[in-house]
Amino acid sequence: MTTRILAIVLAGGEGKRLMPLTADRAKPAVPFGGIYRLVDFVLSNLANGGFLRMVVLTQYKSHSLDRHVSRTWRMSTMLGNYVTPVPAQQRLGPRWFAGSADALFQNLNLIYDELPEHCIVFGADHIYRMDPRQMVDQHIDSGADVTVAAIRQPLSLADQFGVIETDPAGRRIVAFREKPKDAIGLPDAPDQIYASMGNYVFRTQAMIDALREDALDPSSRHDLGGDVIPMFVKSGGAEVYDFAHNLVPGSTERDRGYWRDVGTLDAYYDAHMDLVSAQPVFNLYNDRWPIYTGHDPLPPAKFVHEDGDRVGHALDSMVSPGVIVSGGTARRSILSPGVVLHSHSQVEDSVLMHGVKIGRGAVVRRAIIDKNVVIPDGARIGVDADYDRSRFAVTRGGVVVIGKNEIVER
Ligand code: ADQ
């Protein structure tokens, strides 16, 4: 089955709402959970499902994304398998992709090369486990032109998603509105909507026809959700795949159906907090459906005493290789590779990215700190809201965010 299917991962999103984390990297390259990058989740889902021919369409600030994908996702080509990052090549003129549909249109040559019967087109910005085989099976059995994966979400978030209405049987899509401001709830749950996950399976010829038609339309924004999926809805060829039915090998009832769109800094932060609780709602410890990644060879994490009475320790936290907790304390936090906590430092409810150094006696609470930032001895972050707001980005939810090259003064 898999030889007739090409997987295309849309990884060109700019991720403006994740600034400053996307100041010099593409959104799918944003680190997550200490050792991963966002793109690892979709690629792992596809690889675990046996879809081993993948192209990753990149665009904005794609250097670290390209490097990560080519280094980590190198596969044996002997069996015809590959994961290839494809940068925007301006094949159709001196312009970048206008939107996700234009990104596909400009890369139709990849499809003509492979001649797959169906194309999986998945986004790269989500934290979840999904067995894509179950969606593909439904798509092939139903004969739909496109199948759209969907999940229930709160009505209050309707303007961030493609909102789907189905026929009474719950399969055929009768309306698809991209980010509506006036959505109403579902008949059986007035505070919920049925949201597109931005994951699609297309019959290839139907996709090519729709993309060509869209390309000729001067009023189109060339967006899959905004322009192309509604075309399929009109012709009656769009079906929904209900993510609630997806069962991933090794998953528990508790983490079944977990899916987070980490489009905003608060959502990104919350998804991390989902990882660190003692009974995490998203469990990374499932060796039947591993999330693959790659990082530098580093020694194991180390916890050391300093000053006699200070014992370096971490509780309800994820601690990556290369971390040294030297007489400091971490609680409910993510410590990425190479993080160092010096004596008497306290880190709570925080996400520390690669190589962050926390100075002696410093306090860090409810913060996201990007790569290699040095927090000086005695500094206090997340303690005094006015101080934080005068110096750093602070999210609506009150999380302090310190970008990659910011200098933090004491
Ligand atoms: P958004 O995420 O807002 O909504 P978009 O910004 O187009 O839509 O991103 C979709 C995916 O395509 C992301 O993975 C992004 O990285 C990628 N992408 C965006 N522009 C691209 C480009 N020019 N080239 C290559 N890749 C690009 C979408 C759907 C909604 C759905 C939500 C679910 O449009 O209907 O509800 O995803 O999160």
Side-chain angles (χ1 to χ4, degrees), residues 10-13 57 59 97 99-100 103 123-126 161-162 176 178-179 196-198 200 223 225 259 261:
L10 296 170
L57 304 187
Q59 171 156 276
F97 304 144
S100 49
D125 304 340
H126 305 109
F161 294 117
F176 186 104
E178 183 73 1
K179 302 175 183 151
S196 160
M197 297 164 65
Y200 318 99
D223 181 51
W259 180 80
D261 175 9

PDB file of all heavy atoms in Angstrom, residues 10-13 57 59 97 99-100 103 123-126 161-162 176 178-179 196-198 200 223 225 259 261, ligand 1:
ATOM      1  N   LEU A  10       4.131  19.945   5.269  1.00  0.00           N
ATOM      2  CA  LEU A  10       4.182  21.403   5.074  1.00  0.00           C
ATOM      3  C   LEU A  10       4.943  22.015   6.239  1.00  0.00           C
ATOM      4  O   LEU A  10       4.437  22.050   7.358  1.00  0.00           O
ATOM      5  CB  LEU A  10       2.769  21.973   5.034  1.00  0.00           C
ATOM      6  CG  LEU A  10       1.882  21.512   3.885  1.00  0.00           C
ATOM      7  CD1 LEU A  10       0.449  21.954   4.120  1.00  0.00           C
ATOM      8  CD2 LEU A  10       2.404  22.055   2.563  1.00  0.00           C
ATOM      9  N   ALA A  11       6.152  22.474   5.983  1.00  0.00           N
ATOM     10  CA  ALA A  11       6.974  22.958   7.089  1.00  0.00           C
ATOM     11  C   ALA A  11       7.481  24.372   6.828  1.00  0.00           C
ATOM     12  O   ALA A  11       8.544  24.758   7.299  1.00  0.00           O
ATOM     13  CB  ALA A  11       8.145  22.003   7.327  1.00  0.00           C
ATOM     14  N   GLY A  12       6.697  25.127   6.063  1.00  0.00           N
ATOM     15  CA  GLY A  12       7.167  26.455   5.679  1.00  0.00           C
ATOM     16  C   GLY A  12       6.573  27.584   6.494  1.00  0.00           C
ATOM     17  O   GLY A  12       6.792  28.745   6.188  1.00  0.00           O
ATOM     18  N   GLY A  13       5.780  27.250   7.493  1.00  0.00           N
ATOM     19  CA  GLY A  13       5.080  28.292   8.252  1.00  0.00           C
ATOM     20  C   GLY A  13       6.040  29.239   8.951  1.00  0.00           C
ATOM     21  O   GLY A  13       7.116  28.842   9.399  1.00  0.00           O
ATOM     22  N   LEU A  57       8.410  20.320   2.823  1.00  0.00           N
ATOM     23  CA  LEU A  57       8.480  21.601   2.104  1.00  0.00           C
ATOM     24  C   LEU A  57       8.834  22.717   3.081  1.00  0.00           C
ATOM     25  O   LEU A  57       8.098  22.977   4.033  1.00  0.00           O
ATOM     26  CB  LEU A  57       7.150  21.914   1.425  1.00  0.00           C
ATOM     27  CG  LEU A  57       6.621  20.857   0.456  1.00  0.00           C
ATOM     28  CD1 LEU A  57       5.384  21.399  -0.271  1.00  0.00           C
ATOM     29  CD2 LEU A  57       7.676  20.440  -0.560  1.00  0.00           C
ATOM     30  N   GLN A  59      10.530  26.796   3.801  1.00  0.00           N
ATOM     31  CA  GLN A  59      10.591  28.122   3.177  1.00  0.00           C
ATOM     32  C   GLN A  59      11.338  29.107   4.067  1.00  0.00           C
ATOM     33  O   GLN A  59      12.522  29.304   3.949  1.00  0.00           O
ATOM     34  CB  GLN A  59       9.184  28.618   2.841  1.00  0.00           C
ATOM     35  CG  GLN A  59       9.129  30.066   2.380  1.00  0.00           C
ATOM     36  CD  GLN A  59       7.924  30.391   1.529  1.00  0.00           C
ATOM     37  OE1 GLN A  59       7.941  30.168   0.326  1.00  0.00           O
ATOM     38  NE2 GLN A  59       6.873  30.927   2.125  1.00  0.00           N
ATOM     39  N   PHE A  97       6.483  30.963  -1.890  1.00  0.00           N
ATOM     40  CA  PHE A  97       5.138  30.400  -1.854  1.00  0.00           C
ATOM     41  C   PHE A  97       4.187  31.443  -1.279  1.00  0.00           C
ATOM     42  O   PHE A  97       4.467  32.065  -0.270  1.00  0.00           O
ATOM     43  CB  PHE A  97       5.078  29.178  -0.939  1.00  0.00           C
ATOM     44  CG  PHE A  97       6.054  28.101  -1.281  1.00  0.00           C
ATOM     45  CD1 PHE A  97       6.652  27.356  -0.285  1.00  0.00           C
ATOM     46  CD2 PHE A  97       6.367  27.814  -2.603  1.00  0.00           C
ATOM     47  CE1 PHE A  97       7.553  26.348  -0.594  1.00  0.00           C
ATOM     48  CE2 PHE A  97       7.260  26.814  -2.922  1.00  0.00           C
ATOM     49  CZ  PHE A  97       7.863  26.074  -1.912  1.00  0.00           C
ATOM     50  N   GLY A  99       1.062  30.661  -0.234  1.00  0.00           N
ATOM     51  CA  GLY A  99       0.343  30.022   0.862  1.00  0.00           C
ATOM     52  C   GLY A  99       0.575  28.527   0.750  1.00  0.00           C
ATOM     53  O   GLY A  99       1.289  28.078  -0.145  1.00  0.00           O
ATOM     54  N   SER A 100      -0.058  27.754   1.635  1.00  0.00           N
ATOM     55  CA  SER A 100       0.232  26.318   1.654  1.00  0.00           C
ATOM     56  C   SER A 100      -0.166  25.635   0.334  1.00  0.00           C
ATOM     57  O   SER A 100       0.515  24.702  -0.115  1.00  0.00           O
ATOM     58  CB  SER A 100      -0.456  25.662   2.845  1.00  0.00           C
ATOM     59  OG  SER A 100      -1.816  26.047   2.899  1.00  0.00           O
ATOM     60  N   ALA A 103       2.493  26.320  -2.154  1.00  0.00           N
ATOM     61  CA  ALA A 103       3.681  25.494  -1.875  1.00  0.00           C
ATOM     62  C   ALA A 103       3.531  24.134  -2.544  1.00  0.00           C
ATOM     63  O   ALA A 103       4.479  23.618  -3.163  1.00  0.00           O
ATOM     64  CB  ALA A 103       3.872  25.336  -0.368  1.00  0.00           C
ATOM     65  N   GLY A 123       0.568  18.955   8.276  1.00  0.00           N
ATOM     66  CA  GLY A 123       1.276  20.101   8.832  1.00  0.00           C
ATOM     67  C   GLY A 123       2.394  19.631   9.760  1.00  0.00           C
ATOM     68  O   GLY A 123       2.522  18.429  10.051  1.00  0.00           O
ATOM     69  N   ALA A 124       3.203  20.591  10.209  1.00  0.00           N
ATOM     70  CA  ALA A 124       4.384  20.212  10.993  1.00  0.00           C
ATOM     71  C   ALA A 124       4.412  20.903  12.346  1.00  0.00           C
ATOM     72  O   ALA A 124       5.444  20.934  13.002  1.00  0.00           O
ATOM     73  CB  ALA A 124       5.649  20.572  10.212  1.00  0.00           C
ATOM     74  N   ASP A 125       3.280  21.457  12.766  1.00  0.00           N
ATOM     75  CA  ASP A 125       3.321  22.337  13.941  1.00  0.00           C
ATOM     76  C   ASP A 125       2.608  21.757  15.158  1.00  0.00           C
ATOM     77  O   ASP A 125       2.176  22.513  16.013  1.00  0.00           O
ATOM     78  CB  ASP A 125       2.614  23.667  13.617  1.00  0.00           C
ATOM     79  CG  ASP A 125       3.201  24.367  12.404  1.00  0.00           C
ATOM     80  OD1 ASP A 125       4.338  24.056  12.039  1.00  0.00           O
ATOM     81  OD2 ASP A 125       2.514  25.227  11.837  1.00  0.00           O
ATOM     82  N   HIS A 126       2.420  20.450  15.209  1.00  0.00           N
ATOM     83  CA  HIS A 126       1.567  19.917  16.271  1.00  0.00           C
ATOM     84  C   HIS A 126       2.257  18.840  17.097  1.00  0.00           C
ATOM     85  O   HIS A 126       3.105  18.123  16.590  1.00  0.00           O
ATOM     86  CB  HIS A 126       0.279  19.353  15.672  1.00  0.00           C
ATOM     87  CG  HIS A 126      -0.442  20.355  14.829  1.00  0.00           C
ATOM     88  ND1 HIS A 126      -0.511  20.266  13.465  1.00  0.00           N
ATOM     89  CD2 HIS A 126      -1.068  21.506  15.162  1.00  0.00           C
ATOM     90  CE1 HIS A 126      -1.169  21.317  12.989  1.00  0.00           C
ATOM     91  NE2 HIS A 126      -1.511  22.090  13.997  1.00  0.00           N
ATOM     92  N   PHE A 161      -8.962  27.913  13.740  1.00  0.00           N
ATOM     93  CA  PHE A 161      -9.012  26.637  13.026  1.00  0.00           C
ATOM     94  C   PHE A 161      -9.936  26.687  11.817  1.00  0.00           C
ATOM     95  O   PHE A 161     -10.806  27.556  11.721  1.00  0.00           O
ATOM     96  CB  PHE A 161      -9.546  25.542  13.959  1.00  0.00           C
ATOM     97  CG  PHE A 161      -8.637  25.219  15.108  1.00  0.00           C
ATOM     98  CD1 PHE A 161      -9.050  25.444  16.415  1.00  0.00           C
ATOM     99  CD2 PHE A 161      -7.381  24.688  14.894  1.00  0.00           C
ATOM    100  CE1 PHE A 161      -8.213  25.142  17.487  1.00  0.00           C
ATOM    101  CE2 PHE A 161      -6.533  24.383  15.955  1.00  0.00           C
ATOM    102  CZ  PHE A 161      -6.961  24.612  17.254  1.00  0.00           C
ATOM    103  N   GLY A 162      -9.766  25.680  10.956  1.00  0.00           N
ATOM    104  CA  GLY A 162     -10.775  25.414   9.944  1.00  0.00           C
ATOM    105  C   GLY A 162     -11.909  24.687  10.652  1.00  0.00           C
ATOM    106  O   GLY A 162     -11.670  23.660  11.303  1.00  0.00           O
ATOM    107  N   PHE A 176     -17.004  23.998   5.322  1.00  0.00           N
ATOM    108  CA  PHE A 176     -15.652  24.155   5.889  1.00  0.00           C
ATOM    109  C   PHE A 176     -15.340  25.640   5.866  1.00  0.00           C
ATOM    110  O   PHE A 176     -15.283  26.254   4.801  1.00  0.00           O
ATOM    111  CB  PHE A 176     -14.639  23.390   5.041  1.00  0.00           C
ATOM    112  CG  PHE A 176     -13.245  23.377   5.639  1.00  0.00           C
ATOM    113  CD1 PHE A 176     -12.742  22.241   6.263  1.00  0.00           C
ATOM    114  CD2 PHE A 176     -12.427  24.514   5.579  1.00  0.00           C
ATOM    115  CE1 PHE A 176     -11.463  22.224   6.812  1.00  0.00           C
ATOM    116  CE2 PHE A 176     -11.158  24.510   6.135  1.00  0.00           C
ATOM    117  CZ  PHE A 176     -10.673  23.358   6.750  1.00  0.00           C
ATOM    118  N   GLU A 178     -12.677  28.596   7.170  1.00  0.00           N
ATOM    119  CA  GLU A 178     -11.355  28.809   7.736  1.00  0.00           C
ATOM    120  C   GLU A 178     -11.404  29.962   8.744  1.00  0.00           C
ATOM    121  O   GLU A 178     -11.745  31.081   8.380  1.00  0.00           O
ATOM    122  CB  GLU A 178     -10.345  29.088   6.605  1.00  0.00           C
ATOM    123  CG  GLU A 178      -8.910  29.268   7.056  1.00  0.00           C
ATOM    124  CD  GLU A 178      -8.218  27.974   7.505  1.00  0.00           C
ATOM    125  OE1 GLU A 178      -8.826  26.887   7.462  1.00  0.00           O
ATOM    126  OE2 GLU A 178      -7.045  28.059   7.922  1.00  0.00           O
ATOM    127  N   LYS A 179     -11.101  29.638  10.001  1.00  0.00           N
ATOM    128  CA  LYS A 179     -10.982  30.624  11.081  1.00  0.00           C
ATOM    129  C   LYS A 179     -12.169  31.600  11.160  1.00  0.00           C
ATOM    130  O   LYS A 179     -11.962  32.822  11.135  1.00  0.00           O
ATOM    131  CB  LYS A 179      -9.652  31.370  10.935  1.00  0.00           C
ATOM    132  CG  LYS A 179      -8.484  30.388  10.966  1.00  0.00           C
ATOM    133  CD  LYS A 179      -7.145  30.982  10.719  1.00  0.00           C
ATOM    134  CE  LYS A 179      -6.094  29.895  10.709  1.00  0.00           C
ATOM    135  NZ  LYS A 179      -4.955  30.141   9.896  1.00  0.00           N
ATOM    136  N   SER A 196     -10.480  21.286  11.922  1.00  0.00           N
ATOM    137  CA  SER A 196      -9.523  20.604  11.051  1.00  0.00           C
ATOM    138  C   SER A 196      -8.162  20.600  11.734  1.00  0.00           C
ATOM    139  O   SER A 196      -7.735  21.592  12.311  1.00  0.00           O
ATOM    140  CB  SER A 196      -9.412  21.343   9.717  1.00  0.00           C
ATOM    141  OG  SER A 196      -8.202  20.981   9.062  1.00  0.00           O
ATOM    142  N   MET A 197      -7.465  19.466  11.664  1.00  0.00           N
ATOM    143  CA  MET A 197      -6.121  19.373  12.250  1.00  0.00           C
ATOM    144  C   MET A 197      -5.056  19.816  11.246  1.00  0.00           C
ATOM    145  O   MET A 197      -3.858  19.759  11.540  1.00  0.00           O
ATOM    146  CB  MET A 197      -5.850  17.934  12.692  1.00  0.00           C
ATOM    147  CG  MET A 197      -6.796  17.458  13.787  1.00  0.00           C
ATOM    148  SD  MET A 197      -6.805  15.661  14.009  1.00  0.00           S
ATOM    149  CE  MET A 197      -5.140  15.338  14.589  1.00  0.00           C
ATOM    150  N   GLY A 198      -5.494  20.235  10.057  1.00  0.00           N
ATOM    151  CA  GLY A 198      -4.506  20.637   9.040  1.00  0.00           C
ATOM    152  C   GLY A 198      -3.788  19.428   8.447  1.00  0.00           C
ATOM    153  O   GLY A 198      -2.728  19.564   7.854  1.00  0.00           O
ATOM    154  N   TYR A 200      -4.336  16.223   5.790  1.00  0.00           N
ATOM    155  CA  TYR A 200      -5.231  15.815   4.706  1.00  0.00           C
ATOM    156  C   TYR A 200      -4.657  14.590   3.989  1.00  0.00           C
ATOM    157  O   TYR A 200      -3.443  14.413   3.910  1.00  0.00           O
ATOM    158  CB  TYR A 200      -5.346  16.928   3.642  1.00  0.00           C
ATOM    159  CG  TYR A 200      -5.472  18.326   4.219  1.00  0.00           C
ATOM    160  CD1 TYR A 200      -4.356  19.176   4.318  1.00  0.00           C
ATOM    161  CD2 TYR A 200      -6.703  18.807   4.662  1.00  0.00           C
ATOM    162  CE1 TYR A 200      -4.470  20.450   4.845  1.00  0.00           C
ATOM    163  CE2 TYR A 200      -6.828  20.088   5.189  1.00  0.00           C
ATOM    164  CZ  TYR A 200      -5.702  20.908   5.278  1.00  0.00           C
ATOM    165  OH  TYR A 200      -5.820  22.166   5.806  1.00  0.00           O
ATOM    166  N   ASP A 223      -4.470  29.147  -0.132  1.00  0.00           N
ATOM    167  CA  ASP A 223      -4.341  28.528   1.164  1.00  0.00           C
ATOM    168  C   ASP A 223      -5.164  27.237   1.146  1.00  0.00           C
ATOM    169  O   ASP A 223      -6.297  27.239   0.659  1.00  0.00           O
ATOM    170  CB  ASP A 223      -4.900  29.528   2.198  1.00  0.00           C
ATOM    171  CG  ASP A 223      -4.802  29.008   3.606  1.00  0.00           C
ATOM    172  OD1 ASP A 223      -3.708  28.572   3.989  1.00  0.00           O
ATOM    173  OD2 ASP A 223      -5.832  29.035   4.319  1.00  0.00           O
ATOM    174  N   GLY A 225      -6.587  25.472   3.618  1.00  0.00           N
ATOM    175  CA  GLY A 225      -7.785  25.553   4.446  1.00  0.00           C
ATOM    176  C   GLY A 225      -8.771  26.601   3.949  1.00  0.00           C
ATOM    177  O   GLY A 225      -9.980  26.374   3.925  1.00  0.00           O
ATOM    178  N   TRP A 259      -3.731  16.030  21.248  1.00  0.00           N
ATOM    179  CA  TRP A 259      -3.259  16.811  20.080  1.00  0.00           C
ATOM    180  C   TRP A 259      -3.173  18.263  20.509  1.00  0.00           C
ATOM    181  O   TRP A 259      -4.122  18.811  21.067  1.00  0.00           O
ATOM    182  CB  TRP A 259      -4.273  16.684  18.942  1.00  0.00           C
ATOM    183  CG  TRP A 259      -3.921  17.429  17.685  1.00  0.00           C
ATOM    184  CD1 TRP A 259      -3.050  17.032  16.712  1.00  0.00           C
ATOM    185  CD2 TRP A 259      -4.471  18.683  17.240  1.00  0.00           C
ATOM    186  NE1 TRP A 259      -3.032  17.962  15.693  1.00  0.00           N
ATOM    187  CE2 TRP A 259      -3.891  18.989  15.997  1.00  0.00           C
ATOM    188  CE3 TRP A 259      -5.398  19.576  17.770  1.00  0.00           C
ATOM    189  CZ2 TRP A 259      -4.182  20.138  15.269  1.00  0.00           C
ATOM    190  CZ3 TRP A 259      -5.699  20.731  17.052  1.00  0.00           C
ATOM    191  CH2 TRP A 259      -5.099  21.000  15.813  1.00  0.00           C
ATOM    192  N   ASP A 261      -2.084  22.108  19.196  1.00  0.00           N
ATOM    193  CA  ASP A 261      -1.596  23.060  18.201  1.00  0.00           C
ATOM    194  C   ASP A 261      -0.773  24.074  18.995  1.00  0.00           C
ATOM    195  O   ASP A 261      -1.338  24.820  19.787  1.00  0.00           O
ATOM    196  CB  ASP A 261      -2.806  23.722  17.544  1.00  0.00           C
ATOM    197  CG  ASP A 261      -2.401  24.812  16.569  1.00  0.00           C
ATOM    198  OD1 ASP A 261      -1.198  24.937  16.283  1.00  0.00           O
ATOM    199  OD2 ASP A 261      -3.283  25.538  16.097  1.00  0.00           O
TER     200      ASP A 261
HETATM  201  P1  ADQ B   1      -2.704  27.368  10.066  1.00  0.00           P
HETATM  202  O1  ADQ B   1      -1.746  26.573  10.862  1.00  0.00           O
HETATM  203  O2  ADQ B   1      -2.998  28.760  10.503  1.00  0.00           O
HETATM  204  O3  ADQ B   1      -4.099  26.577   9.918  1.00  0.00           O
HETATM  205  P2  ADQ B   1      -0.902  27.651   7.860  1.00  0.00           P
HETATM  206  O4  ADQ B   1      -0.252  28.841   8.436  1.00  0.00           O
HETATM  207  O5  ADQ B   1      -1.163  27.588   6.393  1.00  0.00           O
HETATM  208  O6  ADQ B   1      -2.300  27.373   8.527  1.00  0.00           O
HETATM  209  O7  ADQ B   1      -0.005  26.397   8.273  1.00  0.00           O
HETATM  210  C1  ADQ B   1      -0.347  25.047   7.934  1.00  0.00           C
HETATM  211  C2  ADQ B   1       0.927  24.225   7.765  1.00  0.00           C
HETATM  212  O8  ADQ B   1       1.537  24.599   6.549  1.00  0.00           O
HETATM  213  C3  ADQ B   1       1.972  24.458   8.856  1.00  0.00           C
HETATM  214  O9  ADQ B   1       2.621  23.241   9.134  1.00  0.00           O
HETATM  215  C4  ADQ B   1       2.933  25.457   8.233  1.00  0.00           C
HETATM  216  O10 ADQ B   1       4.245  25.262   8.751  1.00  0.00           O
HETATM  217  C5  ADQ B   1       2.824  25.109   6.772  1.00  0.00           C
HETATM  218  N1  ADQ B   1       2.939  26.236   5.844  1.00  0.00           N
HETATM  219  C6  ADQ B   1       2.312  27.435   5.892  1.00  0.00           C
HETATM  220  N2  ADQ B   1       2.651  28.211   4.851  1.00  0.00           N
HETATM  221  C7  ADQ B   1       3.516  27.471   4.117  1.00  0.00           C
HETATM  222  C8  ADQ B   1       4.240  27.698   2.927  1.00  0.00           C
HETATM  223  N3  ADQ B   1       4.118  28.840   2.275  1.00  0.00           N
HETATM  224  N4  ADQ B   1       5.067  26.710   2.481  1.00  0.00           N
HETATM  225  C9  ADQ B   1       5.167  25.534   3.109  1.00  0.00           C
HETATM  226  N5  ADQ B   1       4.517  25.255   4.248  1.00  0.00           N
HETATM  227  C10 ADQ B   1       3.693  26.197   4.740  1.00  0.00           C
HETATM  228  C11 ADQ B   1      -4.084  25.240   9.381  1.00  0.00           C
HETATM  229  C12 ADQ B   1      -5.365  25.003   8.581  1.00  0.00           C
HETATM  230  C13 ADQ B   1      -6.590  25.047   9.503  1.00  0.00           C
HETATM  231  C14 ADQ B   1      -6.381  24.045  10.614  1.00  0.00           C
HETATM  232  C15 ADQ B   1      -5.096  24.354  11.368  1.00  0.00           C
HETATM  233  C16 ADQ B   1      -4.794  23.301  12.434  1.00  0.00           C
HETATM  234  O11 ADQ B   1      -5.471  25.962   7.537  1.00  0.00           O
HETATM  235  O12 ADQ B   1      -7.762  24.754   8.778  1.00  0.00           O
HETATM  236  O13 ADQ B   1      -7.489  24.073  11.517  1.00  0.00           O
HETATM  237  O14 ADQ B   1      -3.989  24.329  10.456  1.00  0.00           O
HETATM  238  O15 ADQ B   1      -3.720  23.714  13.217  1.00  0.00           O
END
